[in-house]
Amino acid sequence: MSEEASLFNVDDASRPLADRLRPRILQDVVGQDHLLAADAPIGRMVDAQRLASMVLWGPPGCGKTTIARLLAKQTDFAFEPLSATFSGVADLRKVFQAARRRREVGQGTLLFVDEVHRFNRAQQDSFLPYVEDGTIVLVGATTENPSFELNGALLSRSQVFVLKRLDDAALSTLITRAEALLGRPLPLTDDARQALIAMADGDGRYLLNMIEQVQALPAPVDPAALAAAVQKRAPLYDKAQEGHYNLISALHKSMRGSDPDAALYWLARMLDGGEDPLFIARRITRFATEDIGMADPNAVQQALAAWDVYERLGSPEGELAIAQAVTYLATAPKSIGVYRGFDKARAAAKRTGSLMPPAHILNAPTRLMRDLGYGEGYQYDPDTDTGFSGADYFPDGMPRQTFYEPTANGYERAITERLQLWAQQRTASPGASTGNNSTTPEPD
């Protein structure tokens, strides 16, 4: 047996490969050097033999449970594992009592809680006094964003460490270790070896489980034979959790940054993960009005058309319409002029309250209203020489304000020139609201 294989517990060939290859010291954990190296945060804790409570946040198969076990082993703490899925307050109470007894004889307790985010708020609160007085060192493992799922009080007493998905180099190391343990190379071509790494999608445990399936296949196994023999790992994507919001944010910002290639990639990731295409259609329609607006008024029509096409065709044909709209939006000129202008207008509306519109733009369907001056002096803009009267349409007593400030992008360049011309005409003819008393009826 090789020196590398001897680092691992290999005495029982009936155990799963992932368990047989479980590292025996922290230095053997792959892919997490940013936390475990001698000069990294957890590495320094182990070197000083002083553990702090922590939350290990990372995707499946990146080593959270292994790290917790090795932390206890290398600091001589008693290791108490619990799963938040199957444990309750009674189980926690037993652990706390045992930890108190150990503390009396000078031994610490590392309580490892897998899927800690599944404990409710009250259960999470039960940890606080025991963490605070040092009865236990809590190591929680979670695949969910702790800032969303864990109590603020618990987070304030713990350090959050982010574990990375295993990269290709780390997964390749695991394959080498598995081959050393098995005593023979896997029957894979070079392309199949790379395909196996890609199929694992950063999950070390899943990779080792696949190796157990392919090790006995007759050589040589090419990518096609590999795909027929093992199942690709489903991509990580939870439509109700952080992955959902991360990917829609990536799509949104790629379109905003005018990068159609990145936008199409994130669209494909979301669809491959099982996202509802109608959710994407709704979000890109919002993007068209929020980030493009008047720079390309046709953008929202493209988004709505994609929405309509998908509702008519469904998957997979309708997804191409969404891809077309995403490409259009990513390559369209961008402006938030309308977005900002509307925000300013809403703020002004809240400040000014219930000011009446100026009388000259009010309809006067009754004699009393005409006697009160409603509609008096109104100018029908399309009937003027330039199609612009320069009248003041703000409430009496409210100074004119500028809310909409178009950019020089796309169609808004022409709008900017038009607004500048009208501003000049308005300045040249102050008080124009009582100018051309056109008798043309006002269309309401």
Side-chain angles (χ1 to χ4, degrees):
M1 186 174 296
S2 71
E3 180 180 346
E4 186 171 359
S6 68
L7 295 173
F8 306 97
N9 201 354
V10 297
D11 55 322
D12 185 359
S14 67
R15 300 196 338 262
L17 184 61
D19 188 49
R20 294 164 65 194
L21 274 175
R22 194 181 295 276
R24 300 175 69 182
I25 56 175
L26 280 171
Q27 288 78 2
D28 293 333
V29 176
V30 298
Q32 310 301 339
D33 287 349
H34 64 295
L35 298 176
L36 304 180
D39 59 347
I42 295 179
R44 289 195 298 268
M45 285 187 195
V46 174
D47 185 59
Q49 296 289 292
R50 293 183 62 85
L51 294 183
S53 290
M54 65 186 75
V55 175
L56 302 177
W57 172 29
C62 67
K64 297 185 293 293
T65 302
T66 294
I67 290 172
R69 289 182 179 275
L70 294 177
L71 283 175
K73 178 180 178 182
Q74 293 185 222
T75 55
D76 293 324
F77 274 61
F79 183 70
E80 286 275 10
L82 283 179
S83 170
T85 305
F86 302 109
S87 304
V89 173
D91 301 294
L92 291 174
R93 190 176 296 115
K94 291 178 183 177
V95 170
F96 298 148
Q97 290 172 351
R100 277 205 184 103
R101 290 194 295 269
R102 291 192 195 98
R103 191 180 185 190
E104 291 173 356
V105 296
Q107 184 181 26
T109 299
L110 187 152
L111 171 59
F112 173 66
V113 181
D114 196 19
E115 303 291 335
V116 66
H117 61 276
R118 295 188 182 276
F119 273 143
N120 61 36
R121 301 289 176 172
Q123 289 169 319
Q124 291 178 32
D125 283 342
S126 69
F127 293 120
L128 299 180
Y130 303 99
V131 169
E132 202 158 56
D133 69 7
T135 301
I136 62 168
V137 169
L138 173 67
V139 177
T142 180
T143 57
E144 306 295 342
N145 189 327
S147 58
F148 297 153
E149 303 295 337
L150 300 184
N151 282 358
L154 185 58
L155 285 176
S156 71
R157 292 162 173 81
S158 308
Q159 296 186 46
V160 176
F161 295 121
V162 182
L163 280 70
K164 301 175 181 178
R165 67 186 294 276
L166 300 189
D167 60 17
D168 288 359
L171 293 173
S172 182
T173 298
L174 290 181
I175 293 178
T176 301
R177 290 179 178 178
E179 290 175 326
L181 177 62
L182 296 171
R184 61 186 182 279
L186 295 177
L188 303 174
T189 65
D190 290 343
D191 289 343
R193 194 180 187 93
Q194 290 305 311
L196 184 69
I197 290 173
M199 293 169 75
D201 193 23
D203 187 329
R205 181 170 48 244
Y206 194 83
L207 174 71
L208 295 174
N209 290 340
M210 287 194 295
I211 288 174
E212 287 195 290
Q213 297 178 57
V214 304
Q215 61 172 317
L217 294 177
V221 176
D222 61 14
L226 178 66
V230 298
Q231 181 65 41
K232 177 183 177 183
R233 181 184 183 278
L236 283 178
Y237 189 75
D238 189 334
K239 290 188 288 184
Q241 299 296 333
E242 193 196 20
H244 164 82
Y245 297 106
N246 284 348
L247 266 61
I248 193 61
S249 176
L251 172 62
H252 197 119
K253 289 180 173 64
S254 297
M255 292 191 297
R256 181 182 291 160
S258 301
D259 190 335
D261 300 309
L264 287 173
Y265 170 78
W266 294 117
L267 171 65
R269 281 280 302 275
M270 295 184 75
L271 293 173
D272 192 41
E275 183 57 77
D276 181 0
L278 291 176
F279 166 77
I280 301 174
R282 182 176 68 83
R283 287 298 297 254
I284 67 173
T285 302
R286 169 193 164 185
F287 175 89
T289 57
E290 182 178 297
D291 288 87
I292 297 175
M294 291 298 291
D296 184 353
N298 192 46
V300 68
Q301 297 303 322
Q302 290 287 327
L304 287 171
W307 194 337
D308 186 46
V309 169
Y310 182 82
E311 287 189 320
R312 290 171 183 268
L313 297 183
S315 292
E317 295 88 348
E319 293 169 4
L320 182 59
I322 297 177
Q324 177 179 325
V326 164
T327 304
Y328 186 98
L329 300 181
T331 55
K334 308 301 189 295
S335 170
I336 56 172
V338 173
Y339 183 88
R340 284 178 171 167
F342 187 47
D343 273 356
K344 293 176 184 176
R346 293 183 73 170
K350 289 179 180 179
R351 288 195 308 269
T352 56
S354 303
L355 294 177
M356 280 287 291
H360 73 97
I361 65 172
L362 298 178
N363 288 340
T366 68
R367 180 182 297 275
L368 174 62
M369 297 170 79
R370 288 193 293 273
D371 291 343
L372 291 174
Y374 282 28
E376 184 176 349
Y378 172 69
Q379 299 173 90
Y380 184 61
D381 287 71
D383 204 31
T384 62
D385 293 339
T386 63
F388 177 75
S389 68
D392 184 5
Y393 298 98
F394 278 91
D396 292 334
M398 179 178 175
R400 177 172 184 80
Q401 298 182 37
T402 299
F403 300 130
Y404 174 49
E405 299 180 26
T407 68
N409 301 333
Y411 181 70
E412 280 195 320
R413 182 186 298 274
I415 295 175
T416 298
E417 296 171 356
R418 199 177 307 148
L419 289 176
Q420 288 173 346
L421 175 63
W422 288 338
Q424 293 170 2
Q425 293 178 359
R426 194 178 284 116
T427 302
S429 303
S433 61
T434 56
N436 172 26
N437 294 321
S438 171
T439 57
T440 305
E442 175 198 359
D444 198 11

